[in-house]
């Protein structure tokens, strides 16, 4: 009931298995990057995306930054990155391993998130 996972349905390839793997990746990401488990020393700011989503920026004031792009809409949205960012999570994959390094305009898929760190 807490995380909506039917533990008996966790067979490789199932939707429940994919969700469990994604959740595990988010936990790993949080454990690896201190900026996501701050004790209040991180400044957090919010900006609206054009399609109704949100960009959340984390700044640890020591050079570390993180960016979370949230798109709850049924349509894709875009966001203009300033500088180079390392992608840690998208709508299907999450974890501590860098998936890609991105610059410029990125697409935030419908009903998904993108999580970045600045390196």
């Amino acid at each position: 009931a807490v995380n909506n996972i039917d533990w008996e349905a966790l067979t490789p390839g199932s939707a429940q298995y994919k969700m469990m793997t994604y959740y595990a990746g988010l936990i790993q990401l949080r454990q690896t990057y201190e900026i996501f488990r701050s004790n209040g020393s991180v400044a957090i700011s919010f900006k609206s995306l054009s399609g109704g989503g949100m960009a959340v920026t984390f700044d640890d004031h020591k050079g570390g930054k993180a960016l979370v792009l949230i798109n709850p809409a049924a349509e894709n949205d875009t966001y203009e990155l300033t500088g180079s960012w390392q992608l840690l999570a998208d709508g299907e994959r999450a974890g501590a391993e860098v998936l890609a390094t991105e610059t410029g305009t990125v697409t935030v898929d419908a009903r998904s998130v993108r999580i970045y760190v600045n390196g």
Side-chain angles (χ1 to χ4, degrees):
V2 172
N3 55 23
N4 200 30
I5 295 176
D6 178 356
W7 292 100
E8 293 180 13
L10 287 178
T11 57
S14 70
Q16 292 85 356
Y17 189 85
K18 287 176 71 174
M19 184 187 314
M20 182 219 36
T21 303
Y22 191 81
Y23 284 5
L26 291 175
I27 291 167
Q28 181 186 44
L29 187 155
R30 186 172 184 269
Q31 289 172 339
T32 303
Y33 294 91
E34 185 177 347
I35 198 162
F36 293 113
R37 52 183 203 289
S38 160
N39 61 359
S41 62
V42 173
I44 302 173
S45 59
F46 303 88
K47 177 182 175 185
S48 294
L49 298 180
S50 60
M54 180 181 300
V56 183
T57 304
F58 300 76
D59 186 342
D60 69 5
H61 303 290
K62 297 182 277 185
K65 290 189 178 185
L67 173 66
V68 179
L69 303 176
I70 305 164
N71 182 10
E75 302 293 326
N76 292 352
D77 203 349
T78 59
Y79 184 82
E80 183 71 29
L81 296 173
T82 302
S84 179
W85 291 85
Q86 295 177 330
L87 178 66
L88 301 175
D90 59 19
E92 296 183 10
R93 304 165 293 169
E97 183 177 318
V98 174
L99 302 173
T101 299
E102 298 184 335
T103 60
T105 302
V106 295
T107 299
V108 186
D109 293 334
R111 296 185 182 103
S112 72
V113 300
R114 293 181 82 75
I115 302 175
Y116 296 92
V117 292
N118 71 337

